[in-house]
Amino acid sequence: TMKKIIMLTFSAGLLLGVISCKEKNPLLTDFNTPFGVPPFDKIKVEHFEPAFIEAMKQQKAAIDQIVNSKEEPTFENTILALEYSGALLSKVSGVFYPLSSANTGPAMQEVTQKLAPMFSRHNDDINLNPELFKRIKAVYVKKDELDLNPEQLMLLTKIYDGFVRGGANLDPEKQAR
């Protein structure tokens, strides 16, 4: 009984700590600093894992929205939407990787090792998503008719080629391998 009360109290405190950590995670807020520089004095190693998980969750939701769209694939609703889908992930990565290179240690290495398989799975889920590739390919096939400027054409080609190199054109058996 006393043991249960202690465990419940500990669990509630742990849960509140996780919620509180998420709410105060500087990586999940706008950087209100001069020039938008990350507030390195407020960022702690324990902020990275929840920030990466949230960023992957947000990107997955954005990808699902692209894939489930009933609209005909266009540059805007497919290519641009895909490009912007990983904004938070890019932001968090842009802080984590330079910081982990410059200030590596056991805690940062542990985060890297823990997140590596998550990133791999996340990227595979995007790059091998047949419905997403179908939409990208539909835009790519009609690229000459779209009146794209050079930057848009470069982005479309880069995304399409990246998916092809990543195995999107392979049959499911070869993708699994």
Side-chain angles (χ1 to χ4, degrees):
T1 55
M2 184 61 144
K3 187 176 179 180
K4 285 182 183 177
I5 293 171
I6 291 171
M7 287 303 288
L8 283 172
T9 304
F10 176 75
S11 297
L14 189 60
L15 180 62
L16 286 173
V18 167
I19 291 168
S20 161
C21 178
K22 253 186 167 177
E23 288 173 2
K24 294 178 184 175
N25 190 330
L27 295 166
L28 297 175
T29 62
D30 289 334
F31 297 156
N32 294 321
T33 57
F35 309 107
V37 174
F40 290 106
D41 60 325
K42 293 181 172 78
I43 297 171
K44 296 180 172 60
V45 173
E46 59 267 18
H47 290 139
F48 285 108
E49 185 178 345
F52 273 120
I53 290 170
E54 178 61 26
M56 286 186 275
K57 180 179 147 192
Q58 285 184 20
Q59 186 173 30
K60 183 186 179 329
I63 299 292
D64 289 346
Q65 190 172 5
I66 295 167
V67 168
N68 294 322
S69 174
K70 301 296 182 211
E71 296 177 15
E72 179 182 336
T74 64
F75 182 82
E76 288 75 19
N77 72 18
T78 302
I79 305 304
L80 274 184
L82 175 61
E83 181 69 8
Y84 292 130
S85 71
L88 181 58
L89 191 55
S90 293
K91 174 184 166 183
V92 175
S93 296
V95 175
F96 178 75
Y97 289 109
L99 194 60
S100 69
S101 293
N103 190 19
T104 193
M108 288 295 262
Q109 289 174 344
E110 185 179 324
V111 172
T112 303
Q113 289 175 344
K114 187 171 186 179
L115 291 173
M118 289 175 167
F119 282 134
S120 182
R121 186 172 36 255
H122 178 72
N123 287 328
D124 284 350
D125 287 348
I126 293 170
N127 295 325
L128 298 175
N129 183 320
E131 295 304 313
L132 179 59
F133 182 64
K134 193 183 299 180
R135 291 184 66 84
I136 292 167
K137 190 173 185 176
V139 176
Y140 184 79
V141 166
K142 60 183 180 183
K143 69 180 186 277
D144 295 331
E145 307 161 22
L146 297 178
D147 193 33
L148 299 175
N149 67 38
E151 292 83 11
Q152 292 170 321
L153 185 58
M154 185 182 78
L155 178 61
L156 173 59
T157 303
K158 179 183 144 213
I159 288 174
Y160 177 79
D161 288 348
F163 270 75
V164 170
R165 279 189 220 108
N169 257 344
L170 297 174
D171 61 59
E173 184 180 303
K174 288 182 180 173
Q175 283 182 356
R177 189 173 57 101

